[in-house]
Amino acid sequence: MLRLLLALFGAEIRSAVRRAARTALLCAIGGLLVAMSAVFFLIASFIALADRYDALTAALIIGGGLLVLGLIFLLVALMRRQRRPVGFGGYGAYGAYAAPPPAPAVPPAAPLAGGPAVPPAGVKTVLGIAAGAALIGLILGRRV
């Protein structure tokens, strides 16, 4: 029994590794082709600018544009690398040392300022919401 389970587990791992290797190879080939097309686009841009202006001005325009674009990417990468503050939405929001969430000022079952009291949700409503959330999670999980 254990041998059968290990064989199934090994086959599943081999299949997952093959899929990952194919995906990585396709991504590498696609990245290489995109990089080559970007180089040819830059060459064509240089030729078009050199016809309109001189070659030095064309090189300066393309170099400056690439510098600005590279600096924007570096700034975005640096901003993403910074840690978020601990608290709502950050790391450790409900960790061992985080403060408990504050109690609501009005109890949830109390009506609002003279308005009609909201009846509690029925079983069908709760099950419908849970089924919708599960379906959305399944759809979004498949796309990742």
Side-chain angles (χ1 to χ4, degrees), residues 38-130:
V39 168
F40 281 107
F41 175 72
L42 288 174
I43 292 170
S45 300
F46 177 79
I47 292 171
L49 286 172
D51 281 343
R52 175 125 179 136
Y53 306 106
D54 60 342
L56 179 63
T57 306
L60 287 174
I61 290 173
I62 291 176
L66 290 176
L67 178 68
V68 169
L69 189 65
L71 288 176
I72 289 172
F73 273 93
L74 286 176
L75 285 175
V76 168
L78 288 176
M79 289 173 57
R80 287 180 52 92
R81 200 178 89 181
Q82 292 176 352
R83 296 198 91 162
R84 294 182 180 147
V86 175
F88 186 74
Y91 300 110
Y94 292 103
Y97 301 106
V106 177
L112 298 175
V118 178
V123 175
K124 289 182 179 179
T125 305
V126 172
L127 287 177
I129 292 172

Side-chain angles (χ1 to χ4, degrees), residues 1-2 6 8 10 17 22 32 35 37 48 58 72 74 86 88 90-91 103 109 138 140:
M1 179 76 173
L2 184 61
L6 288 175
L8 289 174
V17 167
R22 284 185 197 131
L32 181 66
S37 69
I72 289 172
L74 286 176
V86 175
F88 186 74
Y91 300 110
L138 180 66
L140 292 178

